Amino acid sequence: MSDEAESVRALLTTVAERGAGERLVPPVAELIGRARRARRRRRAFSFAAVLAVAAAIALPQAIPDRAPAEQPWPGYPATGPGTAAALAAGHWTRLPEAPIPGRTGAAVVWTGSEMLVWGGRVGDSARSDGAAYRPADRRWTVLPEAPLTPRTQMAYAWTGTVLFVWSESDGAVYDPVARSWRLVPTSPLSWRTGPTAVWTGRDVLVIGGWTDDGRPLADGAAYDPATARWRPLPALPVASDHPVTRLVPLAASDQVYVWATWAHRVNTSENSFETTFGMDLFRLDTRTDTWSTPVASGEAPTGVDQPVWTGHEIVVPAAMPYRPGSGPVGVGLRGGRLDPAGGLWRPITHGPVDDLRGQSVWTGAALVSFGNGAGAAWDPTTDLWKGSVGADHRELRDGLDGHAPADLGRADRGRQLRKLTVLTVGAPPVRRLVFRILRDPERVSPPRRPSSGGRGLSRSPVRSSGPST
Amino acid sequence: MAARSDREREFGEFVALRYADLVRTAVLLTGDRGHAEDLVQRALLAVFRSWDRLDRLANAEAYTRTTMVRLESRWWRRRWRAEVPTERLPDRPIGDHAAGVDTAEVVRQALASLPWAQRAVLVMRYFEERSEAEIAEVLGCSPGTVKSRASRGLAALRAVVDIEGVSGRERRG
């Protein structure tokens, strides 16, 4: 081992020894106990699975006309494109070659007639190029050069007439009819990366993000594209002992819901600390710019990643319960749905890809989730899932292997090293899913081996503790 | 029943013998002891399930370490964006080796700032002293990728610490 390698090892050893502390007690009995319990659970589960299979075979014969699992939820199309049944029976179509490379972290919107893709990241480089795809004539066009520096993970929204993009300290809007970009005025927001944006029907709200040194931000501002003016939003009413770690906004009619995860660490002695954490939900009335903490009963989700507003209710697809830092991989995850008028959270039936941390898309009549090469569609009317969406597409399965669609730009575990990027998603009233599959031009050879709500809605804060490092 | 008690006894001996070392490695992978112990215990539970297929102690340790990296890697792939570490290294003084405590803290912060893949490579390459081929197998990438990640990770450490200037006494912590 070289001198440098030895020095690095010495440094790492010091860090490891200090971090681990001196009094490490091997929890032998506890581990064996947990292992025994886990084995008993697996056996019980296997037995239950056998019973369930037997019941599934026997029951349809015994009860020819079964009722839906729950009372049907009104207001959604029962037939037609975009329904779970139609998606399960659908098939995939390969798109023509794109004029830009596949990417992650791009701004991607559906305008009603075409999909716009701009910015994002290809490999280690941020991009400032973009393209538009028009499904009607299956044609791509390159977007005009934007007046912005290359960037990824920006705030973006489609306002009905322009694509709004903003991050760091500046932004621009793109008008697809005029095929032109225009810089937006300087915002009242500080420099930040990773903000999120929602379109309220009148303003684009830009909130959250992180400072240059990684500190989360909880403020926001509203941009009115009609007047090209910004206004700062009032501060999120977070408690002092609920320091925000991330904001997830959702526009629902004239209200904007914001989930705020928080983690609060307190040193309980020189050598130990205690962290409490949880998730609060806030609501901004966009007519008055006032925040409130909505109160709802029922089982609120413990993790929120890609909430959707269906026009009738808020649907939160299954997500990992929030926990700061590393944590166990969740299983048996379930989403939730909230009728804001009724103020009642109801759990969604666990879906076949819910544990895979995939990507969810609302089609206008169903929620489609993809993960790890599998897809399933959730019918909001019956609260039932239909599997096999996309299962007919071998390349999709290869490309998605082990990757959530958000990571598809880096999907390189397929046997032939395909890069697959989700380029557009349906938005009401358009109900279409389009995927783009292409070979990565930079790496085609040689092939590699596969290798809670206002506090009224939040769950109780969870505590974890451990020795200080 | 005898087989079960044998298995549990052997597993218990393995845990008692290797737990502290495994936690030290996990501290480097996760950044703090609480999460490190979580990670080690999850890995050990997986090892116990496969105990009958292992060549006991020697094989069990390698299996546990690999499982730790894969579990943590899986978590990082699924993590929330909020927990993406900044790629900017902390703005700290360089190479004050007169204060070994500070040097270790700077290294800890630098390690925590690295992208997960680079951190994992540095820990496996320099702390566990695994070969590039072995690391490539664990991470599911090419040895060339391991080499480049190690190089970038080392460069990041060099930016905050004068690695070659670390004395023998400090190496022992």
Side-chain angles (χ1 to χ4, degrees):
Chain A
M1 184 177 265
S2 70
D3 284 350
E4 183 180 63
E6 281 189 15
S7 297
V8 173
R9 177 171 158 70
L11 286 169
L12 294 179
T13 301
T14 306
V15 172
E17 286 178 350
R18 186 184 315 163
E22 293 179 353
R23 285 182 294 175
L24 278 169
V25 181
V28 177
E30 182 193 338
L31 278 170
I32 289 176
R34 284 168 64 184
R36 282 179 186 160
R37 288 193 295 276
R39 181 184 295 166
R40 280 199 294 271
R41 278 198 300 273
R42 282 197 303 276
R43 284 179 179 162
F45 179 80
S46 302
F47 182 64
V50 170
L51 282 181
V53 169
I57 294 169
L59 277 178
Q61 296 167 3
I63 311 170
D65 297 316
R66 284 180 297 161
E70 287 195 16
Q71 185 71 24
W73 194 286
Y76 297 106
T79 58
T83 58
L87 288 163
H91 65 278
W92 292 90
T93 306
R94 181 188 291 266
L95 299 192
E97 188 75 15
I100 56 172
R103 59 197 60 205
T104 57
V108 184
V109 297
W110 175 248
T111 69
S113 60
E114 61 184 354
M115 171 190 62
L116 305 178
V117 182
W118 185 83
R121 178 175 174 159
V122 179
D124 290 334
S125 302
R127 305 287 293 207
S128 61
D129 58 348
Y133 177 72
R134 181 181 289 272
D137 51 11
R138 291 175 54 80
R139 288 189 61 181
W140 286 94
T141 49
V142 176
L143 298 188
E145 187 177 345
L148 296 172
T149 53
R151 61 192 65 196
T152 183
Q153 302 285 4
M154 69 222 88
Y156 66 90
W158 172 250
T159 70
T161 53
V162 294
L163 163 65
F164 169 96
V165 295
W166 192 93
S167 69
E168 299 177 2
S169 59
D170 60 356
V173 292
Y174 173 69
D175 180 344
V177 176
R179 284 184 52 78
S180 65
W181 288 91
R182 188 177 73 249
L183 281 170
V184 300
T186 303
S187 88
L189 296 172
S190 58
W191 191 102
R192 66 194 60 204
T193 183
T196 49
V198 290
W199 170 244
T200 68
R202 192 186 66 182
D203 303 305
V204 179
L205 304 191
V206 178
I207 66 168
W210 291 270
T211 63
D212 198 18
D213 57 359
R215 283 185 295 110
L217 293 162
D219 60 343
Y223 175 72
D224 179 351
T227 61
R229 286 187 177 166
W230 288 92
R231 70 173 189 282
L233 292 174
L236 205 66
V238 293
S240 59
D241 58 350
H242 285 198
V244 167
T245 55
R246 186 195 186 213
L247 301 178
V248 180
L250 172 70
S253 188
D254 50 14
Q255 307 290 309
V256 173
Y257 289 78
V258 177
W259 284 264
T261 56
W262 57 270
H264 187 227
R265 176 169 166 163
V266 174
N267 287 327
T268 50
S269 72
E270 190 180 347
N271 298 313
S272 64
F273 65 87
E274 182 175 272
T275 301
T276 54
F277 55 92
M279 185 169 63
D280 293 341
L281 178 61
F282 300 98
R283 183 174 58 205
L284 177 73
D285 187 329
T286 60
R287 296 164 300 186
T288 58
D289 272 2
T290 52
W291 289 101
S292 61
T293 53
V295 176
S297 56
E299 189 181 335
T302 53
V304 177
D305 213 1
Q306 305 162 60
V308 296
W309 170 245
T310 69
H312 303 285
E313 57 180 330
I314 292 170
V315 171
V316 176
M320 282 289 291
Y322 173 64
R323 181 181 189 276
S326 174
V329 174
V331 294
L333 301 177
R334 296 202 299 179
R337 62 198 306 183
L338 170 69
D339 170 11
L344 174 65
W345 280 105
R346 290 172 32 167
I348 290 173
T349 303
H350 174 71
V353 298
D354 274 355
D355 292 343
L356 304 178
R357 291 299 312 277
Q359 194 86 346
S360 295
V361 175
W362 174 252
T363 69
L367 184 76
V368 188
S369 296
F370 293 101
N372 204 27
W378 175 71
D379 183 340
T381 305
T382 60
D383 189 24
L384 295 174
W385 288 88
K386 288 185 181 298
S388 303
V389 173
D392 65 315
H393 204 300
R394 188 179 62 80
E395 287 174 306
L396 175 66
R397 291 199 305 275
D398 285 349
L400 283 169
D401 180 25
H403 294 264
D407 289 324
L408 289 176
R410 294 192 297 276
D412 58 1
R413 293 177 63 195
R415 285 191 296 277
Q416 296 182 40
L417 194 63
R418 289 184 177 87
K419 176 178 283 188
L420 185 152
T421 303
V422 178
L423 288 181
T424 189
V425 297
V430 177
R431 295 161 188 157
R432 176 179 289 116
L433 294 169
V434 183
F435 290 83
R436 171 76 183 135
I437 301 172
L438 61 145
R439 286 175 185 280
D440 185 339
E442 298 166 5
R443 300 162 68 184
V444 288
S445 68
R448 294 179 185 173
R449 68 181 182 77
S451 34
S452 302
R455 259 142 271 143
L457 285 179
S458 68
R459 63 187 173 132
S460 299
V462 182
R463 292 175 187 276
S464 69
S465 60
S468 285
T469 56
Chain B
M1 185 60 76
R4 181 174 119 172
S5 63
D6 281 351
R7 182 171 63 234
E8 290 181 355
R9 181 180 49 77
E10 289 172 356
F11 177 71
E13 286 172 4
F14 167 67
V15 172
L17 201 63
R18 303 305 306 152
Y19 186 75
D21 273 353
L22 293 169
V23 170
R24 288 187 190 105
T25 303
V27 163
L28 294 175
L29 292 172
T30 63
D32 74 56
R33 176 169 154 178
H35 294 143
E37 290 203 70
D38 268 358
L39 179 63
V40 171
Q41 289 175 24
R42 281 189 289 137
L44 286 171
L45 285 174
V47 169
F48 184 70
R49 283 199 293 275
S50 307
W51 192 257
D52 291 338
R53 300 198 301 271
L54 300 173
D55 288 336
R56 300 297 183 263
L57 298 184
N59 202 343
E61 175 155 3
Y63 187 82
T64 309
R65 289 178 180 275
T66 297
T67 303
M68 283 161 50
V69 172
R70 287 183 173 158
L71 284 173
E72 189 65 5
S73 177
R74 192 183 307 167
W75 168 257
W76 276 84
R77 281 205 306 272
R78 296 175 175 184
R79 75 199 184 279
W80 284 30
R81 283 188 301 168
E83 290 154 359
V84 177
T86 172
E87 292 187 4
R88 290 174 60 89
L89 292 170
D91 186 14
R92 300 299 292 261
I94 295 174
D96 179 10
H97 299 303
V101 171
D102 290 340
T103 303
E105 177 57 20
V106 169
V107 171
R108 188 190 71 77
Q109 290 190 23
L111 202 61
S113 304
L114 292 178
W116 156 249
Q118 286 180 31
R119 187 199 306 185
V121 166
L122 283 187
V123 172
M124 284 190 280
R125 185 78 184 93
Y126 296 104
F127 186 69
E128 297 186 322
E129 298 182 353
R130 297 203 206 191
S131 70
E132 284 165 353
E134 198 180 348
I135 297 168
E137 177 65 28
V138 173
L139 294 178
C141 62
S142 69
T145 302
V146 171
K147 196 174 287 188
S148 65
R149 285 173 178 167
S151 171
R152 284 200 292 271
L154 272 185
L157 290 188
R158 282 193 207 103
V160 293
V161 177
D162 177 11
I163 292 174
E164 291 174 0
V166 176
S167 72
R169 191 165 64 83
E170 285 164 343
R171 284 176 197 162
R172 300 287 163 251

